Amino acid sequence: MAEHESREFGKADFVLLDNVSLEELLANLKLRFEKGRIYSYIGEVLVSVNPYRAMNIYGRDAIERYEGRELYERPPHLFAIADAAYKAMKRRNKDTCIVISGESGAGKTEASKYIMQYITSITNPNRRAEVERVKNMLLKSNCVLEAFGNAKTNRNDNSSRFGKYMDINFDFKGDPIGGHISNYLLEKSRVIVQQKGERSFHSFYQLLSGAPESLLRSLHIKKDPTTYNYIKVGGNVKSCINDGAEFKAVADAMKVIGFTGDEIQTVYKILSAILHLGNLTFGVDRDVIRIENSKVVSVIAELLSTKVENVEKALLYRTIASGRDIIDKQHTLQEASYGRDALAKAMYERLFCWIVGHINDTIDVKDYDSRVCGNNTVIGVLDIYGFEIFQNNSFEQFCINYCNEKLQQLFIQLVLKQEQDEYQREGIPWKHIDYFNNHVIVDLVEQQHKGIFSVLDEACMNVGKVTDEVFLSRLDNKLSKHAHYTSRMLSPTDKSLEFHKDFRIRHYAGDVAYSVVGFIDKNKDTLFQDFKRLLCNSSNPVLKEMWPEGKLSITEVTKRPPTAGTLFKNSMISLAENLACKEPYYVRCIKPNDVKSPRLFEYERCQHQVEYLGLLENVRVRRAGFAYRQTYPRFLQRYKMISESTWPNHKLQSDKDAVRRLMQGCGFDHDVAYGKTKVFVRTPRTLVSLEEQRTDMARKIVVLLQKVWRGAIARMRYRRMRAGLIILRAYRRYKVESYIREVNGRFKNVSSMKDHGRHVEWPTAPKILHEFEESLQNLYDKWWAWTLIKGLSPEEAMHVRAKVATLEALKGQRSDLGLQRAWEGNYLKRDSPDTASLFTLVSNQLQRKDKFMRVLFACNVRKINAFHRAEDRTVLITDRHLYKMDPLKQYKTMKSIPLYNVTGLSVSPGKDQLVVFHTRDNRDLVVCLKGMVPATDSRIGELVGVLLSHFKSEGRRLLVNITSPVQCSMNGRKRTVTVEPKATQLQPDFTKMRSGYILAVPGN
């Protein structure tokens, strides 16, 4: 039973339908299609409905979901069938095959591509280069075969117009090592004629659309397909295939497969020659047949590497050998046209077979020694045409429908055989199954001497003119009593058939009326020997290779070649024998509608396909005995929670006994049979009931498991958190103790060190001790400073306090604070040594007069006054006054400002020596220190520091501003002082401007 799909999607396996009827089957198929479930099972047969839209179910994630899984472990899928075939081949060392069938447009070609994609994706895990090369060529071969064997039809834009069977060879490890492709019944008549709305083979349109101009010129062809008679019907037909892009893809694929550049060019030449052949026209001049457009003959001769006269002769004459005499018989107009078309069809068929042969030469397994490398196993993939019923059914439809009869016969036989073998293996009594055996229809077509193919061959071998009507009358004579054959002659009242034209066969899929018109010619498949000799004598080696029979002498008597019908019948018999010796897997493709809609499900359209694919018969065969069977371990794994005897694990002797106990407990023992390894359930109702009980119990088990698991998770989380907390606390304690021990060890003897431990590096503290570390370092810094200060003299201590005050006020605001040098206070002795004694005398007199205790600062300055005059002065700052003196007048005191009248200082953030003393009466003193020795000295820091320290000692506050420009007040008027460095300035100086002053200082 296909699992893991809810009931809203219907029954994933048609075997489990409550009532086996056509209506129930179609209703379930329609429901699944509308719900986006395009795959269903009939036991181990996959039913696929073309979705007509891209579906995201074939990616790498989907491949991984199905790889290595049993068929029913996942919802129905193409990958499940591919994996089952691969596993059967690998595990049991047995050849397998996947038979894909369905009508044109049902998705057979896409299904075969996805199967190839899956097999190549799951093999060669070690990425061996040779295996990757084989995988790549197997995939590329699809592209080439589609180009030359597929065409747009009214039903399908990429319809395969040939049957394909591909064998993929695997080594003992399950890796692909090669392959072989067989092709069946190419629809070569499509080369010369197509129905309205259809196209010829893709290869013609790809050449015209994708080839570069230089190549088209060399082939003498144009891009417009309507130029050529053979393909102009499809020239204006739109297709979803991008011919230009596909041309390059096919060329690249041919190179990968191993086609040489010359071989690819020959392919293009043959395609072009066929196009030109279609444009040849014949006329009659005085009973003589002639070619009306002889230039085309020259082009064809060039493309086929032959002489012009030889091409013209082969088209107009037929060489006949009578004994030793050789006669050139001129064609009639009808014979010339027939010969031209036969040559075009034959050239394309030979080209296609040569391409298939070339691919086989490349991918065939070579030099494989089973004694060394193990057995070589095979997976076959058959992508073949489905049953066809058209308005006008001819020889091609007859062959195709015979092929489907043959495959249906094989399908029923193999399904029945599989069922019977399984019953015998499991010891279950076999019940005879009534089903329609189409062996009688297969015999009607292929039986020796009596079958339709035999009658057709007899008609073709008769001497004289044998018509299609004669062939039909012979069929009527031989098959008049056959229950599945009729014609108008045998059923005169059946007006759906025409006299001397139609016959009807009652196929397993329905009645089909065939028109005998063209049966004789198509079966003979006549190609004049002159054309074979013409192409065999070509100077192109590829063409020579395609036509080996052209080497025969004109007078040489040869055996009559087998007819097209006989060749096809023999190939189908061979194919059936080949498939019969393999373990088969089936993919039945269904086309939901004719308008390629992803939503429309045409009931009658699908009913017809279900009937001719034999799906209902397949369900009945599968349901005839037991609807469901499963191995005991897997059955227990799915349903053991239903019974207390088997949940969670049974204690009985075997799984078989456990299953028996489970079914007895549920009351279903009467509806099952117990095989050796499997349990067989007779009716779907029992399985549905088991599923319902399982669903109910699973819900309760899930709730219980969730409860237990959530509790377990919560307890585990709590234990982890608690353990983590204990570990964290212990670790923190350890880190703290380690840090304290380390600090104690490093700073133990710092009091005896010369620098009191300044060189000692602090250990890295844990994050939790970050604040403690800062406090500890601050404590150490205070101890270190106290240790240094306690040994200083009062004067040194005063200087230290002044420097500290400077650092607090100006750190980060000015670059040079002068902290690294000794502060002298009185700089007149250094800056003006000649007048220093005079300054000392004047300052002593002021000390006696004003009773100050000490000089805080003395320096030469440049000042600006309220009258905007700049003059040189000397500033003397004591602990009581600020004196402004004139050095040119023997340091006469020009102004004295009590320090209690000073409210603040303003300095700039630059390297200049500007300082403004702010006073209570708004008569600020603006000066710039000058005349310093050395000239690079900066004394602003000292000036600010000593004043701040002094004011602090007296319990007063001094405001210090660092701004640019500097603000000041001159006689109550607000002014600004802007500092401007000038390269040509030797000494600082003030100049007046509108809103204040400019201090020009030396600088770059």
Side-chain angles (χ1 to χ4, degrees), residues 227-277:
T227 309
Y228 304 99
N229 293 332
Y230 280 161
I231 65 170
K232 68 181 180 181
V233 172
N236 294 321
V237 175
K238 291 183 179 180
S239 171
C240 66
I241 294 173
N242 185 335
D243 294 316
E246 286 298 315
F247 174 81
K248 186 178 186 309
V250 171
D252 292 341
M254 293 178 78
K255 291 174 185 174
V256 169
I257 293 170
F259 288 84
T260 65
D262 290 341
E263 288 172 337
I264 295 173
Q265 284 298 314
T266 300
V267 170
Y268 297 152
K269 287 179 179 179
I270 293 173
L271 293 176
S272 303
I274 292 171
L275 293 177
H276 288 301
L277 267 175

Side-chain angles (χ1 to χ4, degrees), residues 14 195 367 627 698 977:
F14 290 109
Q195 295 183 29
D367 304 325
V977 182

Side-chain angles (χ1 to χ4, degrees), residues 44 413-423 583-584:
E44 295 181 351
Q413 286 175 353
L414 290 178
V415 168
L416 279 172
K417 186 175 183 300
Q418 283 177 335
E419 287 285 295
Q420 189 171 3
D421 287 348
E422 185 171 29
Y423 277 51
E583 183 172 327

Side-chain angles (χ1 to χ4, degrees), residues 26-27 29-38 49-55 590-603 605-606:
L26 285 167
L29 191 68
K30 182 174 185 285
L31 173 63
R32 291 183 62 76
F33 173 73
E34 290 172 347
K35 295 289 185 179
R37 296 299 191 268
I38 63 171
V49 182
N50 192 338
Y52 286 121
R53 59 188 170 95
M55 300 191 73
I590 291 178
K591 183 177 182 179
N593 56 75
D594 285 325
V595 293
K596 301 170 188 174
S597 168
R599 297 183 178 181
L600 180 61
F601 187 92
E602 294 179 351
Y603 192 88
R605 191 83 182 75
C606 295

Side-chain angles (χ1 to χ4, degrees), residues 157-220:
D157 280 4
N158 190 31
S159 175
S160 297
R161 306 318 297 163
F162 71 106
K164 180 180 74 173
Y165 176 74
M166 174 183 281
D167 270 334
I168 308 172
N169 297 81
F170 296 84
D171 62 13
F172 72 100
K173 298 188 298 299
D175 291 333
I177 55 173
H180 187 86
I181 298 169
S182 301
N183 61 294
Y184 304 98
L185 192 66
L186 178 73
E187 189 191 17
K188 59 184 179 181
S189 60
R190 184 170 290 273
V191 173
I192 63 171
V193 64
Q194 307 91 42
Q195 295 183 29
K196 185 178 180 181
E198 297 191 349
R199 301 201 317 176
S200 186
F201 294 99
H202 294 325
S203 53
F204 292 110
Y205 305 96
Q206 289 173 5
L207 176 63
L208 298 182
S209 297
E213 287 294 336
S214 56
L215 176 59
L216 293 177
R217 283 196 299 272
S218 68
L219 300 174
H220 306 285

